[in-house]
Amino acid sequence: MKDDVAAFKRRYGHAPALAVVIVGRDAPSIVYLEQILRSCRNVGIGGQLVEIPGRVSAAALRARIRELNDDPHVHGIIVQMPLPRRIPLSAVLDTLDPDKDIDGIHPRNAGLLTLGYDGFLPTTAHAAVEILKRSGIELTGRRAVVIGRSNVVGKPAAILLLREHATVTVCHSRTRDLASVVRSAEIVVVAAGKPGLVTGQMLKRGAVVVDVGINVVGDRIVGDVDMDSARPVASAITPVPGGVGPVTNALLLTHLLRAAEAQAQEARVGRPPPLRSVASSR
Ligand code: NAD
């Protein structure tokens, strides 16, 4: 990233910059966002934490996001979730400029993902699948089970696995007999937010497991997989903490750089880069 950011600065004369928005004071979220901003600084990316009081109205939040959309010195925007209950998610989703939506939450980016175009991917789902690819795990034709169907993790992870030609089953809170579905899987991606949901007894021998869950249990952070029972059965498994989380943060910066590149190109040539189709539906 350092080299890529330096090359970007040489080419365009400015640094890429990120805005991270948080609505209301939530100490752990602020620690997390400051960590992202520190990673940005370490590679030469600019960043600002935009703290918005928790009592803000939806209209005022929209107005603040529009200001960031219009700010030529901000190339990517992420909004920390969850929002205060009074504020509908749509206040962020339909206001955010899709060209600055580096975490792929805008319906335009979700649509591009679904139709196989190269938009911004939801970063955590991207990280879960990128870990598999970079670890040399064969995905084509293999049976993958994704546990969780949220718009930010489970659903996009399933679509990305499809893109890699896996045969994908999606499980969720209403799935019957989760254990038998999981037992059929060669690859398991779990993003449910339930500690200990997946145990070694549920896994096929040699399964590859990506644990996306982040749960606070007592004073520890654990994933959704019961490590003690799963580790001897799985052929590969991601730890929590230290697995999907850091890869997510690193990929987020690559998304930001891509957004900054596209915006700089658009400023030069007067039109956005063309859409690219990257997935087969055959
Ligand atoms: P979410 O609550 O929006 O979705 C959870 C999903 O899990 C739902 O679709 C639900 O149907 C399913 N589920 C819940 N209980 C289940 C059960 N018993 N059996 C089968 N499915 C069940 O959560 P999310 O935002 O998708 O996040 C999922 C997890 O990933 C959380 O632990 C979250 O903290 C973590 N997360 C990690 C990162 C990271 O960078 N590593 C980023 C985002 C979220």
Side-chain angles (χ1 to χ4, degrees):
M1 281 303 295
K2 251 186 195 157
D3 291 348
D4 290 350
V5 171
F8 178 92
K9 282 188 193 163
R10 278 195 301 276
R11 201 171 314 134
Y12 300 109
H14 63 269
L18 171 70
V20 295
V21 178
I22 179 153
V23 185
R25 278 206 76 83
D26 174 51
S29 297
I30 290 181
V31 170
Y32 168 68
L33 295 175
E34 278 173 347
Q35 199 183 316
I36 292 182
L37 291 174
R38 203 169 323 119
S39 314
C40 286
R41 280 194 294 277
N42 286 342
V43 295
I45 290 173
Q48 54 171 308
L49 178 64
V50 180
E51 288 188 69
I52 298 180
R55 57 177 191 285
V56 72
S57 68
L61 176 60
R62 283 183 193 274
R64 188 70 185 94
I65 293 174
R66 277 194 207 102
E67 277 174 23
L68 294 169
N69 286 346
D70 293 341
D71 184 343
H73 304 298
V74 169
H75 307 105
I77 304 168
I78 54 174
V79 181
Q80 177 70 11
M81 299 293 165
L83 297 169
R85 222 176 254 173
R86 293 170 299 103
I87 299 184
L89 187 58
S90 59
V92 173
L93 292 195
D94 17 291
T95 310
L96 202 56
D97 178 347
D99 293 335
K100 295 190 177 184
D101 168 34
I102 58 167
D103 210 9
I105 63 172
H106 188 279
R108 178 173 196 265
N109 284 312
L112 292 174
L113 169 63
T114 308
L115 296 184
Y117 287 91
D118 190 22
F120 286 112
L121 302 175
T123 318
T124 304
H126 186 190
V129 176
E130 197 65 20
I131 285 176
L132 292 167
K133 288 170 67 179
R134 302 252 186 142
S135 306
I137 308 289
E138 176 70 47
L139 296 172
T140 300
R142 298 190 78 194
R143 270 166 299 169
V145 164
V146 178
I147 308 175
R149 58 171 165 180
S150 74
N151 289 334
V152 284
V153 193
K155 212 181 286 172
I159 298 171
L160 286 172
L161 287 166
L162 260 185
R163 223 181 232 197
E164 299 302 323
H165 315 291
T167 302
V168 184
T169 303
V170 181
C171 298
H172 47 80
S173 52
R174 315 266 176 104
T175 295
R176 290 192 199 144
D177 196 1
L178 181 69
S180 74
V181 184
V182 172
R183 204 164 292 118
S184 70
E186 299 166 282
I187 291 146
V188 180
V189 174
V190 51
K194 296 277 182 291
L197 180 67
V198 173
T199 62
Q201 293 73 38
M202 295 163 78
L203 294 172
K204 188 194 204 57
R205 182 152 295 282
V208 174
V209 182
V210 178
D211 189 353
V212 182
I214 296 179
N215 308 290
V216 180
V217 175
D219 56 0
R220 290 195 320 138
I221 293 193
V222 299
D224 290 348
V225 178
D226 174 47
M227 268 288 164
D228 291 342
S229 62
R231 206 192 293 262
V233 185
S235 61
I237 188 163
T238 62
V240 177
V244 174
V247 178
T248 301
N249 294 352
L251 280 177
L252 186 71
L253 303 189
T254 68
H255 293 188
L256 175 71
L257 187 59
R258 177 180 157 187
E261 282 273 1
Q263 286 158 47
Q265 282 291 336
E266 186 172 355
R268 267 191 189 172
V269 299
R271 60 184 140 72
L275 287 177
R276 279 193 320 132
S277 169
V278 289
S280 165
S281 56
R282 307 189 62 189

